[in-house]
Amino acid sequence: MLPVLLRADASARIGTGHLMRCLTLATALRRAGAAPRLLVRPDLPALLQRARASGFEIVEVTEAPDPGAAPAPPGATAAPLERMVADALNDAGAKACVVVDGYQFDQAYRAAVRARGATSLVIDDLRPQDVIADVFLDQNFGAGGVAYGNSGGAAMLLGVEFAVLRDEFREAAAVPARRTPARARRLLVSMGGSDPDGMTGRVLDACARLDDPDLQVDVLCGAANAHVAALRARAGSERFALRVLVDPPGVAALMREADLAIAAGGTTSWEMMCVGLPSVKVVLADNQRPVVRALAAAGLCADAGDAGALTPARLAAAIDALAADAEQRRYMADEGRRRVDGRGADRVAAALLARHRARRASATGVG
């Protein structure tokens, strides 16, 4: 079986999105006949145990730099490949594929990976001028319209057609769309797996300002969220029904049951589009800003603005406006489902394996 090494990290500071995406891609690669192995810093043991329970081999990269640290200044010497990563690449050689997913893996790191001879897939939404990869993935909305200075001959996978989503979303996409209520009263809150800055509490403050006793609010949290106890303590004191759910099973089903989401502008954007869940988006990080702006311009979300400048009153107004606008929510739901079908992981896996076969055939003179 073709070995595929997936290098990603997760922590309370950077969140869990990179590693969760690689776990999803690993599932698609295994389905396609490959043998995935994940190389990860051991920052979140519970998440690594979840990966092992899914049958994946995990290599703990103990000497890796902190992925949440400030990036090196331009011109600084890049960190070399971690010893365990270098050893794994040396063992696998040109017969392997390698996936790199994380902002700490700079151009020099990507070049060092590629120099080992494996077929490389780089996942990046910061739009580097030069692409150093055999396959390049930017799954963000509007990525297909970006001009890259030098693709380097890479297979370019751009746009939400390639959004890497768990199998439950592919299955949910096949279910008929649910009815759009006149007013949205069942809300879903998702501020990322760790929410280090406690944005979820501010969202609940905004929900309280809606003064709607029929409101039902489900909060999705990851195990790395340090605010879970404080959020649960609010459940008995709010005027609305509140549930705090930590890594619940069946997230796609929870999204389908909701009328409206208040969410960060990350990977959950594509999950919500896939199941037809309209959303008010909050920008939590700089890389989310262009995505949220593009989605809002296309009528696919309501843009509440940057978290740092967002007051509960302003957020409440954004939620209330979309909750009352059934026509706009219906458009968001229908158009989101049309654009995201939940099959992106299989497309990415197929593209990586096809490029690997082509490179091997070229190297051996076959075909």
Side-chain angles (χ1 to χ4, degrees):
M1 298 176 71
L2 172 66
V4 182
L5 312 176
L6 298 99
R7 179 71 184 94
D9 289 320
S11 72
R13 186 68 229 170
I14 68 167
T16 60
H18 299 288
L19 181 53
M20 292 303 298
R21 177 163 53 197
C22 280
L23 282 170
T24 299
L25 182 55
T27 299
L29 287 162
R30 184 167 60 185
R31 184 164 50 235
R37 186 193 322 170
L38 289 107
L39 297 93
V40 189
R41 275 174 52 102
D43 293 292
L44 299 178
L47 189 55
L48 298 191
Q49 182 56 39
R50 175 176 170 181
R52 289 189 176 98
S54 299
F56 293 114
E57 180 184 353
I58 304 293
V59 176
E60 295 187 8
V61 184
T62 53
E63 80 280 20
D66 180 3
T77 301
L81 290 180
E82 302 93 342
R83 177 181 55 80
M84 292 176 179
V85 177
D87 288 348
L89 286 170
N90 287 340
D91 291 343
K95 296 180 180 179
C97 296
V98 59
V99 177
V100 176
D101 186 352
Y103 300 124
Q104 71 272 31
F105 305 123
D106 60 12
Q107 295 287 67
Y109 188 101
R110 298 170 189 183
V113 166
R114 206 171 181 211
R116 302 281 169 152
T119 304
S120 65
L121 163 64
V122 166
I123 303 176
D124 189 354
D125 60 2
L126 297 184
R127 303 173 181 177
Q129 182 69 12
D130 296 318
V131 173
I132 304 175
D134 295 292
V135 183
F136 182 87
L137 168 63
D138 179 351
Q139 64 183 20
N140 282 340
F141 180 77
V146 175
Y148 286 84
N150 179 15
S151 69
M156 303 295 283
L157 311 181
L158 306 176
V160 293
E161 176 186 359
F162 300 101
V164 177
L165 305 182
R166 298 188 302 280
D167 287 352
E168 63 178 298
F169 289 95
R170 178 178 59 182
E171 295 161 5
V175 179
R178 63 190 296 270
R179 183 183 64 85
T180 301
R183 179 167 181 90
R185 285 196 162 90
R186 185 158 187 172
L187 309 186
L188 186 76
V189 179
S190 176
M191 290 293 134
S194 57
D195 188 16
D197 298 320
M199 186 64 205
T200 302
R202 294 163 61 190
V203 174
L204 295 183
D205 293 341
C207 290
R209 286 177 169 264
L210 298 176
D211 197 25
D212 184 350
D214 295 325
L215 205 63
Q216 302 176 59
V217 180
D218 285 344
V219 172
L220 299 184
C221 295
N225 191 318
H227 310 285
V228 169
L231 294 172
R232 283 178 168 160
R234 298 182 62 156
S237 60
E238 301 291 355
R239 293 188 59 195
F240 52 85
L242 172 62
R243 295 193 302 172
V244 179
L245 308 171
V246 180
D247 285 338
V251 170
L254 287 169
M255 288 184 177
R256 276 188 51 81
E257 293 167 0
D259 301 326
L260 176 63
I262 304 96
T267 303
T268 53
S269 299
W270 325 130
E271 296 174 352
M272 291 170 183
M273 289 173 67
C274 185
V275 301
L277 176 58
S279 63
V280 175
K281 290 285 191 294
V282 177
V283 175
L284 297 185
D286 289 343
N287 65 299
Q288 295 178 3
R289 190 174 296 110
V291 176
V292 172
R293 301 295 186 268
L295 287 170
L300 294 170
C301 79
D303 179 6
D306 290 10
L310 196 56
T311 64
R314 181 177 164 190
L315 180 55
I319 297 170
D320 187 57
L322 189 54
D325 192 341
E327 182 177 352
Q328 184 61 35
R329 283 185 283 111
R330 187 177 300 110
Y331 175 82
M332 289 179 182
D334 292 346
E335 189 66 6
R337 284 169 58 91
R338 185 183 73 80
R339 291 174 182 264
V340 182
D341 64 4
R343 299 180 180 275
D346 288 330
R347 294 187 182 101
V348 174
L352 176 59
L353 299 184
R355 176 53 65 99
H356 179 74
R357 287 192 295 268
R359 288 184 73 241
R360 293 293 294 163
S362 177
T364 59
V366 176

